[in-house]
Amino acid sequence: MESFFSHHISLERLCKEHLDEICPFLRWQDQQEMWAAYRLPAREALALCWKHSSFAVAMRYRGCVAAVAGVEGQTLLGGRGCVWSWTAEAVLRCPKSFWQVSCRLLQQFQQLYPMLYAACDERYLSARRYLLRLGARQAGEKFYLAGKETRFVPYVFAAPAGRIFINKEK
């Protein structure tokens, strides 16, 4: 799976080499959020996200991995999935392309799991704005993951137009 969005941007199915490539260039805020969520070094946290994902991709900008993203299904046959995204400093040099890729990936993830959710470090304001701009809405109280010093904000994504979801758990 390799798709090109422009002569500078391409998407590839995520592999170990992508994780090795992006790790030294991860944005500081992403590294802080990873530590707060997993209590693992960045490379191990990236591997964990990839391992649990049913679909994950790397975005290349001018040949370098600028971002990785994926979706982890809540259950094998479920309709809910958790989306994740980690970025390198390179995304700051291609904000419009990163945005376009993000929108298309969200649509693909919604094809796999109609109900998507995410959690974001409350301190990471640009990531929170990014989720809101993608159409997510805050869904519930803030919570803690690996430690008690950082709270996470839960988000859910609205259903794609024309689709209705019934919460079977209630």
Side-chain angles (χ1 to χ4, degrees):
M1 170 223 156
E2 187 165 324
S3 50
F4 288 90
F5 286 89
S6 75
H7 60 285
H8 295 301
I9 301 288
S10 65
L11 284 179
E12 301 169 0
R13 192 165 296 266
L14 191 62
C15 68
K16 178 186 174 298
E17 289 73 25
H18 295 126
L19 302 182
D20 293 337
E21 188 177 333
I22 196 173
C23 195
F25 304 103
L26 284 169
R27 294 173 67 190
W28 174 245
Q29 299 95 326
D30 286 58
Q31 292 178 50
Q32 286 183 306
E33 186 176 42
M34 277 184 199
W35 180 255
Y38 302 108
R39 288 295 192 269
L40 293 171
R43 178 60 180 81
E44 291 177 41
L46 287 168
L48 187 65
C49 290
W50 178 44
K51 176 184 174 186
H52 291 288
S53 295
S54 55
F55 182 67
V57 297
M59 181 190 108
R60 286 194 178 276
Y61 172 68
R62 295 185 182 242
C64 297
V65 177
V68 292
V71 61
E72 175 183 342
Q74 200 168 35
T75 63
L76 286 177
L77 300 176
R80 298 184 346 171
C82 180
V83 291
W84 57 268
S85 173
W86 303 109
T87 57
E89 293 292 334
V91 297
L92 301 174
R93 294 190 299 273
C94 59
K96 184 177 178 182
S97 296
F98 176 65
W99 175 251
Q100 291 170 338
V101 167
S102 297
C103 291
R104 289 188 187 175
L105 282 176
L106 179 61
Q107 290 174 346
Q108 281 191 299
F109 295 161
Q110 286 176 318
Q111 293 294 320
L112 296 170
Y113 302 98
M115 183 176 281
L116 295 175
Y117 63 94
C120 187
D121 182 334
E122 73 175 344
R123 303 168 299 174
Y124 199 173
L125 298 180
S126 62
R128 293 178 63 193
R129 283 191 304 269
Y130 165 78
L131 287 168
L132 292 170
R133 189 170 173 217
L134 277 173
R137 68 181 194 287
Q138 190 170 336
E141 298 297 317
K142 296 174 182 174
F143 61 95
Y144 296 97
L145 285 173
K148 294 292 184 190
E149 81 290 343
T150 305
R151 293 186 308 175
F152 284 78
V153 180
Y155 289 92
V156 294
F157 288 86
R163 295 178 79 171
I164 299 173
F165 301 105
I166 298 170
N167 187 351
K168 296 178 182 179
E169 295 174 358
K170 288 190 177 185

